[in-house]
Amino acid sequence: MPVIAIIGAGSGLGAAVARRFGREGFSIALIARDLAKLDSIVAELGSEGVTAKAYSADVRVPAELEDALGRAAADLGPVSVLQYSPLPSRDYLKPVLELTPELATEAVQFSLLGLISSVRAVLPAMRESGDGSIILINGGTSVKARAGFAGTSVAFPAESAYGEMLHEALADEGVRVAQLVIPGAIPRLQLPNGIDDVADRIWDLHTTPGDFRTMLIPLEEGRE
């Protein structure tokens, strides 16, 4: 069975994506800090016939991420889809005049360095097989900086730049790298099928080659 690893999995988008990929025959590796919450999602998925396992890791700690992804590959098989979608701390949404070097460093660790560690853990198997997908989920500050969201306005563009470079570098190797920008809280976007529409879009990014960046809705229609 193919495997998707969802970094920053939770009961919202992570669970919806797990169900969407599970319907397509994927096994699911759920990775986040709170193992108890992940175990609850695993139980729900299991009741729906989806194979899933939970792994605890803090995206700011490379060794934890690498260990979690290694155990997932050992338990379920090589990771063929990586979704990097940890939800930023509210500390990263402070005004720019309150941004400190320490907070900016942590935001970059969270968004960029965690992604780099995750990619380095799964990319060798993808390149060897000549197939795979790396999907970044970001908010609107990845496209346009906002003075009231200083941490993500600094860190998301760095994450985006790394992802876009990967998209170009791997284009001829069968490994797709894509970014979905969600400019606002999903419940406020008034999508016809809510979060399931977002999961469908992520499935499409995995199955259909295209540009690096996809906007879920136009930036000006979003609210963060």
Side-chain angles (χ1 to χ4, degrees), residues 7 11 41-42 44 47 51 73 76 82 100 116 128 136 139 142 144 146 166 194-195 202 204 210 212 222:
I7 309 292
S11 58
I41 300 170
V42 167
E44 292 177 9
S47 69
T51 299
L76 301 171
L82 174 72
T100 64
I116 294 175
E128 182 177 353
L136 289 57
S142 61
K144 182 176 176 57
R146 293 182 62 186
L166 282 180
I195 205 165
I202 292 170
D204 290 342
F212 167 66

Side-chain angles (χ1 to χ4, degrees), residues 84-95:
Y84 193 81
S85 53
L87 186 65
S89 165
R90 295 194 65 82
D91 288 341
Y92 307 154
L93 308 182
K94 290 183 176 180

Side-chain angles (χ1 to χ4, degrees), residues 36-131:
K37 289 183 179 179
L38 293 181
D39 285 339
S40 176
I41 300 170
V42 167
E44 292 177 9
L45 293 170
S47 69
E48 300 169 16
V50 177
T51 299
K53 292 184 74 70
Y55 305 90
S56 177
D58 185 331
V59 298
R60 297 167 299 181
V61 183
E64 291 186 12
L65 269 179
E66 293 161 8
D67 177 69
L69 287 164
R71 287 187 287 127
D75 293 341
L76 301 171
V79 173
S80 46
V81 179
L82 174 72
Q83 175 177 305
Y84 193 81
S85 53
L87 186 65
S89 165
R90 295 194 65 82
D91 288 341
Y92 307 154
L93 308 182
K94 290 183 176 180
V96 65
L97 295 179
E98 297 179 20
L99 185 65
T100 64
E102 294 77 15
L103 189 58
T105 297
E106 183 177 317
V108 170
Q109 287 176 329
F110 187 91
S111 294
L112 172 63
L113 303 186
L115 173 62
I116 294 175
S117 296
S118 300
V119 167
R120 289 179 63 84
V122 302
L123 188 56
M126 292 183 183
R127 297 182 74 187
E128 182 177 353
S129 68
D131 187 40

Side-chain angles (χ1 to χ4, degrees), residues 138-220:
N138 292 113
T141 50
S142 61
V143 178
K144 182 176 176 57
R146 293 182 62 186
F149 295 73
T152 59
S153 291
V154 169
F156 277 175
E159 179 184 342
S160 300
Y162 174 67
E164 189 167 11
M165 289 187 290
L166 282 180
H167 172 82
E168 296 172 359
L170 297 170
D172 296 331
E173 297 191 32
V175 179
R176 295 164 295 281
V177 183
Q179 177 191 48
L180 180 63
V181 177
I182 305 174
I186 293 172
R188 300 178 187 172
L189 300 184
Q190 299 181 341
L191 303 171
N193 299 300
I195 205 165
D196 290 336
D197 283 346
V198 185
D200 285 339
R201 185 67 65 89
I202 292 170
W203 173 255
D204 290 342
L205 292 177
H206 163 60
T207 57
T208 307
D211 295 336
F212 167 66
R213 176 174 291 149
T214 294
M215 301 294 298
L216 181 66
I217 63 172
L219 183 65
E220 61 273 12

